[in-house]
């Protein structure tokens, strides 16, 4: 049996794990039941070295040759505060919470990958670190906590892979992109304060609404004039609050937005330009400005060498037509923190099938996956682990 057939034989178990996890969603950093369930499943593999990390996360190491190379595979664990809409046999049993980003599938796939690599442990040499990571959906991101705990540095991890369900790709396919892949995402909160007054006497006030409105248009110059047009930038303000009546100039407005970038040095420069512009314009118009720039996840960078190798291995596994080139992705993902530490490759797993719900975007209340993608995910991760360990093995002298 080849890896794909072996993974396909696991489908009933993969589906059972995924549906159990789907029915018991937990929010970011509260994945206690999820952790307990995973521990129960992992008991079947006595040779795994398991420990808890970041409270609700788990690390499981499977070592066949202690002196051999190490690689890591990661699944995220958290659900979202969304009420699942459709009636399904495996609908969420926890009202108000739902695995609407497919992290239930990621965990089931990693469990299946552990089983497959465990059964085939005579076929590979080295060590695989399986990471069940909490809190992907919530700042500062569980990945940043795990990096701080040293999970990629305490042992010599040579590369890390993760995957994400993708309703934009048909089931049976995977998507890859070398280099910058997913955006850095930061939030900015601006508060402008000054003298308010009667709307008929603007010259006696420092109108924060007029200045705020002008500021929003000037800030778009960051995108049109300061950003390298070859590196996409998005600056969106989703909140502008101030004032109470048409004939009163208020003393304060609040503006909040998000900045998406694909280059870490431009990201830092954009922040400083934004803060300077807000301060200068406010000062000109006798307003005081507070700017709170809250860093989110960095750019997710797929290591070009590892990604090209992954493309070759997955092409061999699935066929060339099943391995697609992905566009830049404007959403962000905390796997990016790992990609700053070691060579990384984030794989997009096609999950769109016949059921229209499997075409719904992630983070929507009717989102679902086609479960025949689960064995594809297992086969993909098992393949990159086995091939990766082979590639990193030190050749005998
Ligand atoms: Zn998500
Ligand atoms: Zn997700």
């Amino acid at each position: 049996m080849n890896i794909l057939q072996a993974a396909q034989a696991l489908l009933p178990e993969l589906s059972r794990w995924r549906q159990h996890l789907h029915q018991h969603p937990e929010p970011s950093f509260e994945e206690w039941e999820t952790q307990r369930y995973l521990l129960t499943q992992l008991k079947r593999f006595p040779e795994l070295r398991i420990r808890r990390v970041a409270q609700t996360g788990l690390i499981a190491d499977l070592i066949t040759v202690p002196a051999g190379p190490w690689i890591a595979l990661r699944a995220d664990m958290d659900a979202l505060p969304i009420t699942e809409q459709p009636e399904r046999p495996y609908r969420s049993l926890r009202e108000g919470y739902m695995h609407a980003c497919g992290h239930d599938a990621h965990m089931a796939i990693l469990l299946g990958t552990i089983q497959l690599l465990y059964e085939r442990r005579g076929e590979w040499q080295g060590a695989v670190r399986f990471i069940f990571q909490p809190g992907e959906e919530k700042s500062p991101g569980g990945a940043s906590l795990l990096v701080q705990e040293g999970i990629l540095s305490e042992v010599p991890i040579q590369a890390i892979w993760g995957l994400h369900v993708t309703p934009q790709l048909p089931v049976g396919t995977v998507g890859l992109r070398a280099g910058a892949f997913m955006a850095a995402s930061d939030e900015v909160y601006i508060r402008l304060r000054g003298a308010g007054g009667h709307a008929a006497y603007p010259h006696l006030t420092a109108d924060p609404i007029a200045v705020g409105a002008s500021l929003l248009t000037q800030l778009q110059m960051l995108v049109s004039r300061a950003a390298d047009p070859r590196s996409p930038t998005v600056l969106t303000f989703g909140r502008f609050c101030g004032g109470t009546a048409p004939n009163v100039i208020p003393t304060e407005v609040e503006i909040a937005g998000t900045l998406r970038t694909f280059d870490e040095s431009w990201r830092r420069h954009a922040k400083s330009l934004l803060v300077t512009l807000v301060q200068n314009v406010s000062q000109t118009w006798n307003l005081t400005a507070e700017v709170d720039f809250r860093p989110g996840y960095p750019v997710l960078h797929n290591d070009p060498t590892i990604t090209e190798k992954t493309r070759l291995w997955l092409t061999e596994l699935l066929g060339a037509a099943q391995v697609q080139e992905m566009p830049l992705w404007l959403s962000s993902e905390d796997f990016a923190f790992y990609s700053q530490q070691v060579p990384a490759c984030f794989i997009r797993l096609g999950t769109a099938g016949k059921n229209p719900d499997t075409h719904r975007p992630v983070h929507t209340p009717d989102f679902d996956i086609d479960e025949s993608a689960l064995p594809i995910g297992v086969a993909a991760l098992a393949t990159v682990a086995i091939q990766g360990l082979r590639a990193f093995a030190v050749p005998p002298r």
Side-chain angles (χ1 to χ4, degrees):
M1 221 182 336
N2 65 28
I3 283 195
L4 196 54
Q5 290 162 333
Q8 256 140 9
L10 289 176
L11 180 57
E13 271 172 305
L14 291 167
S15 172
R16 187 165 53 81
W17 292 327
R18 183 256 165 169
Q19 294 191 8
H20 176 93
L21 292 162
H22 192 85
Q23 286 188 297
H24 301 89
E26 292 178 294
S28 310
F29 302 111
E30 295 175 33
E31 302 91 341
W32 300 105
E33 287 301 321
T34 307
Q35 184 189 55
R36 198 165 306 155
Y37 181 75
L38 294 171
L39 280 170
T40 312
Q41 299 306 319
L42 294 175
K43 270 195 195 131
R44 294 183 298 132
F45 310 110
E47 285 162 43
L48 277 181
R49 289 192 202 162
I50 302 170
R51 74 170 207 260
R52 292 179 171 83
V53 283
Q55 299 202 329
T56 52
L58 285 176
I59 299 264
D61 292 338
L62 185 57
I63 303 168
T64 61
V65 175
W70 282 76
I71 61 106
L73 303 175
R74 170 271 208 170
D76 39 13
M77 302 166 71
D78 50 337
L80 288 157
I82 291 177
T83 299
E84 188 161 13
Q85 288 303 328
E87 276 307 326
R88 298 167 173 151
Y90 46 89
R91 187 180 186 275
S92 167
L93 297 174
R94 192 163 180 200
E95 200 56 28
Y97 292 94
M98 175 189 176
H99 268 294
C101 202
H103 300 182
D104 50 345
H106 303 165
M107 288 183 279
I109 288 169
L110 201 57
L111 283 175
T113 307
I114 292 173
Q115 176 153 343
L116 210 153
L117 289 176
Y118 189 85
E119 285 164 0
R120 298 186 163 226
R121 61 194 183 285
E123 293 175 28
W124 53 273
Q125 300 185 326
V128 182
R129 170 158 286 192
F130 302 96
I131 302 166
F132 291 95
Q133 176 219 299
E136 192 285 322
E137 300 282 3
K138 193 171 180 181
S139 185
S144 74
L145 305 184
L146 265 54
V147 166
Q148 279 168 28
E149 286 193 25
I151 61 135
L152 294 182
S153 52
E154 66 191 7
V155 289
I157 304 280
Q158 305 222 22
I160 184 168
W161 284 265
L163 54 70
H164 204 292
V165 301
T166 306
Q168 291 86 346
L169 288 177
V171 65
T173 65
V174 293
L176 287 170
R177 184 184 180 85
F181 182 16
M182 294 180 67
S185 164
D186 302 307
E187 287 181 353
V188 57
Y189 296 84
I190 301 168
R191 190 185 289 268
L192 304 177
R193 282 203 189 91
H198 198 294
Y201 300 90
H203 58 296
L204 304 178
T205 74
D207 185 345
I209 287 188
V211 176
S214 153
L215 198 51
L216 288 198
T217 55
Q218 288 186 59
L219 283 170
Q220 289 304 326
M221 295 280 281
L222 286 182
V223 182
S224 69
R225 299 295 87 185
D228 184 330
R230 293 165 296 186
S231 178
T233 300
V234 177
L235 180 61
T236 294
F237 289 93
R239 180 178 157 85
F240 190 135
C241 295
T244 52
N247 59 352
V248 178
I249 291 172
T251 56
E252 188 174 305
V253 297
E254 279 175 40
I255 305 167
T258 175
L259 174 70
R260 308 275 162 140
T261 50
F262 287 91
D263 178 280
E264 287 295 325
S265 68
W266 159 237
R267 179 188 179 200
R268 286 190 294 276
H269 184 48
K271 175 195 170 183
S272 96
L273 273 179
L274 185 146
V275 173
T276 307
L277 191 66
V278 173
Q279 295 294 359
N280 288 351
V281 170
S282 307
Q283 206 177 11
T284 304
W285 296 102
N286 291 319
L287 289 160
T288 58
E290 275 169 34
V291 188
D292 181 10
F293 194 92
R294 296 184 201 166
Y297 301 161
V299 177
L300 191 157
H301 187 266
N302 270 351
D303 179 84
T305 308
I306 299 290
T307 305
E308 282 322 305
K309 284 189 172 139
T310 302
R311 194 188 304 277
L312 279 175
W313 301 330
L314 296 185
T315 300
E316 219 166 279
L317 178 75
L318 302 169
Q322 272 63 50
V323 182
Q324 303 197 2
E325 176 68 18
M326 297 306 288
L328 286 172
W329 219 254
L330 267 306
S331 56
S332 63
E333 157 68 53
D334 77 348
F335 188 82
F337 287 110
Y338 303 128
S339 80
Q340 291 185 320
Q341 303 296 314
V342 294
C345 180
F346 197 58
I347 302 166
R348 287 272 159 188
L349 176 69
T351 48
K354 288 201 184 83
N355 180 342
D357 286 350
T358 63
H359 294 252
R360 297 285 300 140
V362 295
H363 292 216
T364 56
D366 40 8
F367 167 79
D368 202 355
I369 62 155
D370 186 320
E371 286 191 345
S372 47
L374 298 172
I376 309 279
V378 170
L381 290 187
T383 297
V384 300
I386 293 172
Q387 298 283 11
L389 288 171
R390 249 176 231 161
F392 292 124
V394 181
R397 295 193 177 189

